[in-house]
Amino acid sequence: MSIDREKTCPFLLRVFLKTGAHNPVESYSQTQVPDGELKIYTWFDATLAELTKLLQSASPEARRGRLSFSVVFLHPRGSYLMRPVMGQSGGGPGDRTLKELGVEAGDYMDVAVLSTHDRRGGGASDGLYSASSRHENSSRSRAGGAGGAGGAGGTGGFLEVMVASAGTAGAA
């Protein structure tokens, strides 16, 4: 199913950028989130390539290295979990949509900006995105299915980026 971005309302994806490493999962709670937040309105058919371009246009920090993506989501037992985002075997993660990656409304995206010279964890499951990277398939472990509408989609279409400096989870 394809999303008509002219007729479908986007959802808010709260993205947290950090240079050098991902934020610790403990920095996420129902009352607190890390600093470095970008608020992005997007659709479930947006790809990591689109998200990468938007982050690089909105943040000079994101242009300085490789981006490593992780989805942060609330476990049914009340704690937050972080899962690295990886692409399908034979295709870079930039081709995958947020829906295919298991992103749901209310999830956070934690993005580490890593040096292009930093090769820590440079294997197939490192969650790093660059135009030429290839990754293994990974599925989300969560009670219930993926939420929201999705499907193969158009290009671009991010409505707005708002930079927020407050580190509170309730501020949306």
Side-chain angles (χ1 to χ4, degrees), residues 68-141:
S68 174
F69 293 87
S70 288
V71 177
V72 179
F73 59 96
L74 185 61
H75 187 273
R77 291 189 176 156
S79 62
Y80 280 85
L81 300 176
M82 184 180 290
R83 181 183 52 80
V85 172
M86 295 168 244
Q88 295 176 344
S89 181
D95 300 337
R96 307 245 349 249
T97 66
L98 294 176
K99 181 177 179 173
E100 291 170 340
L101 296 168
V103 174
E104 298 180 12
D107 289 350
Y108 302 132
M109 184 72 71
D110 191 272
V111 180
V113 181
L114 304 176
S115 164
T116 55
H117 303 296
D118 185 358
R119 297 293 176 200
R120 289 177 292 149
S125 63
D126 62 5
L128 299 176
Y129 175 68
S130 65
S132 63
S133 64
R134 302 279 185 224
H135 300 282
E136 296 302 316
N137 188 26
S138 174
S139 61
R140 181 179 197 149
S141 174

Side-chain angles (χ1 to χ4, degrees), residues 25-99:
V25 72
E26 296 81 19
S27 63
Y28 292 93
S29 74
Q30 293 187 18
T31 58
Q32 191 70 23
V33 292
D35 291 331
E37 179 177 4
L38 295 172
K39 293 182 179 183
I40 299 173
Y41 290 90
T42 190
W43 294 266
F44 288 103
D45 68 344
T47 64
L48 276 187
E50 289 177 291
L51 191 59
T52 296
K53 287 179 185 176
L54 182 64
L55 291 173
Q56 289 173 337
S57 70
S59 171
E61 176 184 2
R63 292 189 289 268
R64 294 190 188 105
R66 299 178 301 151
L67 302 182
S68 174
F69 293 87
S70 288
V71 177
V72 179
F73 59 96
L74 185 61
H75 187 273
R77 291 189 176 156
S79 62
Y80 280 85
L81 300 176
M82 184 180 290
R83 181 183 52 80
V85 172
M86 295 168 244
Q88 295 176 344
S89 181
D95 300 337
R96 307 245 349 249
T97 66
L98 294 176
K99 181 177 179 173

